[in-house]
Amino acid sequence: MQTQVDNQTQTETKRVFKLDNVNVYYGPHLALRDVNMDIMEHEVTSFIGPSGCGKSTLLRCFNRLNDLITGARVEGNVTYHGANLYGEKVDPVVVRRKIGMVFQKPNPFPKSIYENIAFGVRVNGMKVNMDEVVEQSLRGAALWDEVKDKLKDSGLSLSGGQQQRLCIARAIAVQPEVILMDEPCSALDPISTLRIEELIKELKQKYTIVIVTHNMQQASRVADVTAFFNAEAVEKGRRVGYLVEYGPTEMIFNTPREQYTLDYVSGRFG
Amino acid sequence: MTSIQDQAGATTPSGMPDLTSSSVSGNRNRVGTILTIVSGVFVAFIIIPLLLVLWDVGGRGLPLLFNTDLYTELPPPPGLEDGGFGHAIIGSLMTLGIAAAISFPVGVLAAVYLAEFGRGTRIAYLVKFSANVLTGVPAILIGLFAYTIVVRPLGSFSAFSGGVALGVLMLPIVIRSTEEALLLVPNEMRQAATGIGATRFQTITRIIIPAAMSAIVTGLILSLARAAGEAAPLLFTAFNNSFWNTDPMRPIATLPVLIYFFSIIPYKPQQDLAWAAAVVLLIIVLTASLLARFFSRAKKF
C-alpha cells in the first residue's frame, strides 16, 4: 500500500494537502485542535470518529466551505500543493473549482439532470462541448445508462442513490483534482451505498478523495488511509475534536497504536 | 393473577377488554363534541361574510356585466342613462402598472439582500422592522405621504403619484413574501452551488431565485391584488377623472375611487355602475388569488 511512509521525494510530489497545527474555531469556541496530517494523491482518505469530533469541520477546511459559516475561523497552515489555502490573495471560489464536494444529503438543483451538470461547467466558464461533458460525467458517476433517455427530467425525480450519483457527476464535471465527500452514503440504502463505494474505488484512479464516514465497514472497504478522530470534554460540557492517529486503513483497523482507536474500531465505544 | 384486566382497566362481561369510549370518563367525549361544534361555528363566521359579499355584490352587479358598453364607454352625465367605466379600468391598470414597476424591483432586491447577504446584520434588522411598520401604516396616510412628495412638487394629481402610493403600499408585502420565498430554498442548494465553484452572485441568480420563483410570483400577485382594491391612497394622488386619460402626469379614474364616488351620489345609473365596478374588482382580486394559488402549487421542495 502506498502511503506517507514512502521516501521523501516521492512524498513531496504526491502530497496534495498538508495540515500543520490546524485549529478550527466556531466563534470563540475551539472545535478542532492540533491537526497535523498529509493527504496523498490518488488515494482515498477516510475520516472516522464519533459525532462531534470535528471530522466534517476538517473536511470543510479543504475547500473553504467553512467560510460560509459566520464566525468560523481556521488557524494553522493548510497547504494545497504547497500553496497556503488561507493565504490573503486566495479566492475561495477558485479553490472550490479545484476541490469538489459531495454532501451528506443528496442535493441536486431543482433543474433537469442535464442542467444540474451543465451549471457547474457554465459558472466555471469552461469552453467545452456540453453534451460530451454531461455524458462523460454521468458515465464517470455510473449513472449514464439509467438516465440517458431522460436528461430533461428533473434531478429531483431520481431515487436517493441516483441523486447522490448525480451530485458526484456534477462534482466531476468541472474536472476537480480532489473530491471531498461528507458522509455521502448516510442517507442511502445498502445497495445504493455499495454502488457509490464501487464508484469511489474507480474515481480514485483520476481523483484524490477524502471521505467522512460514520460507517467503519465503509472506511475499511474503500479507504487506503484512515484517520481516527475523537472528542474530549472541556469545560462546560463543550467538546473539542482532535486527531488521534492516522495511517494505512489496515493498520488502523488491526494494529492501531492508540488504545482509543482500537476501542472505537472494535465497537467498544462510539 | 395479573391479567389483561389489571393492565387495561375495565372489562366487558365476556372478559374481553372494554375498548369503547364509555370505559373512560364520560365528560371527555361531551366536551370534545361541544368544542368541535364551537370551532365549526367560528369557521362559519369566517366564511359567511365572504359568501354574503359575493351574493350581494354579485347579485346586483353580475347582471350588468353583459353590457359591453361597460368596458368601452365613459360614465353618463348626471341624469342620463347607460355608459360604462372603461376609463377607470385603464386607470387601474396604469396605476397598478406604475406601482408594480416601482415596488417589484425594489422589493425583490431588498428581499434578496435580507435573505442572502444581510442575514443577522443590523441593517437587515432595521429594514425588516421598517417593512413591518410600513405594513401597519393606514392606507390613507400612505396617500397623504405620496401627496406630499409627488403631487405637491409636481403641482397636479396624477396617475404616476397614484402608482407611487400603491407602490409604497405594496413594498412591504413584496419584501416579506419574497424574503420568505428565498428562505424556503434549502441551504443545501447554496452549499451545493458554492461547492462547485459558483460565486455568490451566480448562486443567487441561477439557483436560488429560479428555485424560489413560483413562490416569489405568488407574493407579487397577492401584493397586486391587495393594491387593486385600495381607494384611500388614490384619493389624494390619482384622484379621479370623468374622461379618458392615458397621460401618467394627469389625474386618472380608477375602479375603487369610481366605486367610492358613484356609490354616494343619488343617481341610479351611477350607482349601478358602482355595483358593476365592484363585481369587476372582485373578479380581478379573486382571479389573482386563484392565479397565486396555481403558482404556489408548483412546489419545488
Side-chain angles (χ1 to χ4, degrees):
Chain A
M1 189 167 294
Q2 299 280 93
T3 63
Q4 74 279 15
V5 292
D6 288 339
N7 68 57
Q8 194 57 34
T9 49
Q10 210 174 343
T11 308
E12 279 307 321
T13 53
K14 282 192 69 200
R15 185 161 58 203
V16 180
F17 292 106
K18 182 166 170 41
L19 301 167
D20 281 320
N21 298 316
V22 170
N23 295 323
V24 185
Y25 294 84
Y26 289 126
H29 303 294
L30 187 61
L32 182 66
R33 66 166 170 82
D34 295 336
V35 180
N36 290 289
M37 71 183 296
D38 295 340
I39 306 280
M40 299 308 205
E41 198 169 35
H42 297 307
E43 283 188 348
V44 178
T45 304
S46 75
F47 292 177
I48 60 170
S51 298
C53 67
K55 47 195 191 307
S56 291
T57 298
L58 184 63
L59 191 73
R60 282 154 184 258
C61 291
F62 292 126
N63 65 345
R64 296 198 50 174
L65 212 65
N66 281 332
D67 292 14
L68 298 191
I69 301 164
T70 36
R73 188 159 51 87
V74 177
E75 263 179 12
N77 251 327
V78 185
T79 59
Y80 171 68
H81 292 298
N84 182 4
L85 265 187
Y86 287 81
E88 252 174 58
K89 288 187 179 157
V90 172
D91 182 353
V93 172
V94 177
V95 171
R96 295 180 196 125
R97 287 174 186 183
K98 293 190 191 300
I99 301 165
M101 186 150 191
V102 176
F103 295 84
Q104 182 170 5
K105 203 176 126 202
N107 55 357
F109 300 124
K111 294 173 178 285
S112 69
I113 293 169
Y114 187 96
E115 282 302 316
N116 256 284
I117 290 164
F119 174 76
V121 179
R122 287 209 192 97
V123 299
N124 281 280
M126 294 158 73
K127 300 260 181 301
V128 287
N129 180 337
M130 192 63 81
D131 290 349
E132 234 167 65
V133 171
V134 169
E135 179 172 345
Q136 279 168 5
S137 308
L138 286 169
R139 281 188 193 282
L143 189 60
W144 174 250
D145 291 333
E146 289 156 69
V147 301
K148 63 175 180 235
D149 298 323
K150 48 177 187 175
L151 294 175
K152 294 254 182 316
D153 289 12
S154 167
L156 295 170
S157 67
L158 300 173
S159 74
Q162 289 174 327
Q163 285 188 12
Q164 195 61 298
R165 275 180 282 148
L166 177 61
C167 292
I168 292 173
R170 180 176 70 185
I172 60 184
V174 298
Q175 298 169 3
E177 193 200 335
V178 182
I179 301 176
L180 308 174
M181 298 185 170
D182 191 354
E183 295 184 49
C185 302
S186 68
L188 305 182
D189 65 72
I191 292 166
S192 305
T193 300
L194 211 62
R195 297 212 58 172
I196 303 263
E197 286 179 10
E198 281 163 10
L199 182 57
I200 291 171
K201 285 179 205 161
E202 276 171 38
L203 289 174
K204 79 169 178 181
Q205 314 299 328
K206 291 172 82 176
Y207 309 97
T208 303
I209 294 173
V210 186
I211 176 171
V212 167
T213 178
H214 264 296
N215 180 334
M216 279 180 280
Q217 283 76 32
Q218 181 167 70
S220 67
R221 283 190 297 258
V222 302
D224 302 307
V225 177
T226 294
F228 171 61
F229 292 81
N230 199 0
E232 61 185 2
V234 289
E235 80 282 6
K236 289 185 202 149
R238 297 209 148 271
R239 285 150 64 85
V240 172
Y242 64 100
L243 174 63
V244 177
E245 65 176 311
Y246 79 106
T249 301
E250 245 173 316
M251 182 207 100
I252 293 289
F253 279 88
N254 298 319
T255 55
R257 287 184 292 266
E258 304 285 333
Q259 185 62 35
Y260 271 133
T261 316
L262 189 63
D263 287 350
Y264 187 77
V265 298
S266 56
R268 253 167 284 183
F269 91 103
Chain B
M1 181 187 83
T2 53
S3 70
I4 204 159
Q5 283 160 286
D6 301 289
Q7 294 152 23
T11 55
T12 55
S14 60
M16 284 182 286
D18 182 2
L19 301 177
T20 64
S21 54
S22 60
S23 64
V24 290
S25 109
N27 253 344
R28 203 162 79 174
N29 285 304
R30 218 169 307 133
V31 171
T33 315
I34 291 169
L35 286 178
T36 308
I37 291 171
V38 168
S39 67
V41 169
F42 285 122
V43 168
F45 271 125
I46 292 172
I47 295 177
I48 285 172
L50 175 66
L51 291 180
L52 283 180
V53 167
L54 288 178
W55 178 257
D56 195 35
V57 177
R60 298 191 200 225
L62 269 182
L64 305 166
L65 291 188
F66 301 103
N67 178 2
T68 49
D69 284 354
L70 219 52
Y71 315 106
T72 56
E73 299 285 315
L74 289 174
L80 295 183
E81 304 270 311
D82 295 331
F85 44 73
H87 66 317
I89 293 177
I90 288 180
S92 271
L93 291 179
M94 269 183 71
T95 47
L96 286 175
I98 293 165
I102 294 169
S103 64
F104 286 3
V106 175
V108 168
L109 288 177
V112 166
Y113 175 79
L114 292 181
E116 302 294 334
F117 296 102
R119 268 195 226 187
T121 63
R122 192 170 281 264
I123 298 179
Y125 173 80
L126 219 70
V127 171
K128 253 188 253 190
F129 182 75
S130 314
N132 285 344
V133 172
L134 201 56
T135 319
V137 173
I140 190 112
L141 289 186
I142 290 176
L144 280 174
F145 164 75
Y147 178 82
T148 317
I149 67 155
V150 185
V151 178
R152 289 246 308 237
L154 293 182
S156 154
F157 293 121
S158 62
F160 174 70
S161 62
V164 171
L166 293 184
V168 173
L169 187 90
M170 285 158 66
L171 199 55
I173 307 174
V174 172
I175 292 177
R176 279 164 42 148
S177 62
T178 306
E179 190 201 356
E180 258 163 52
L182 293 172
L183 290 179
L184 274 181
V185 178
N187 250 333
E188 282 92 26
M189 293 300 128
R190 295 178 181 87
Q191 290 187 346
T194 311
I196 49 175
T199 63
R200 207 151 184 202
F201 180 77
Q202 289 167 330
T203 304
I204 291 168
T205 53
R206 304 207 200 166
I207 300 292
I208 308 296
I209 291 181
M213 201 38 125
S214 59
I216 293 175
V217 170
T218 304
L220 298 183
I221 291 175
L222 288 178
S223 74
L224 267 182
R226 163 80 205 281
E230 286 287 345
L234 296 173
L235 285 174
F236 303 116
T237 51
F239 191 58
N240 200 3
N241 194 333
S242 307
F243 303 100
W244 294 102
N245 174 32
T246 49
D247 179 355
M249 287 309 157
R250 298 188 47 215
I252 202 164
T254 53
L255 287 173
V257 173
L258 178 123
I259 294 169
Y260 171 69
F261 280 122
F262 281 5
S263 61
I264 55 173
I265 59 172
Y267 294 103
K268 181 81 173 44
Q270 268 76 2
Q271 288 172 4
D272 281 347
L273 283 182
W275 282 112
V279 177
V280 170
L281 203 52
L282 257 183
I283 290 173
I284 291 172
V285 172
L286 287 182
T287 311
S289 301
L290 289 178
L291 212 62
R293 281 198 74 86
F294 170 77
F295 274 108
S296 65
R297 201 181 291 171
K299 274 236 163 68
K300 292 202 158 145
F301 304 106

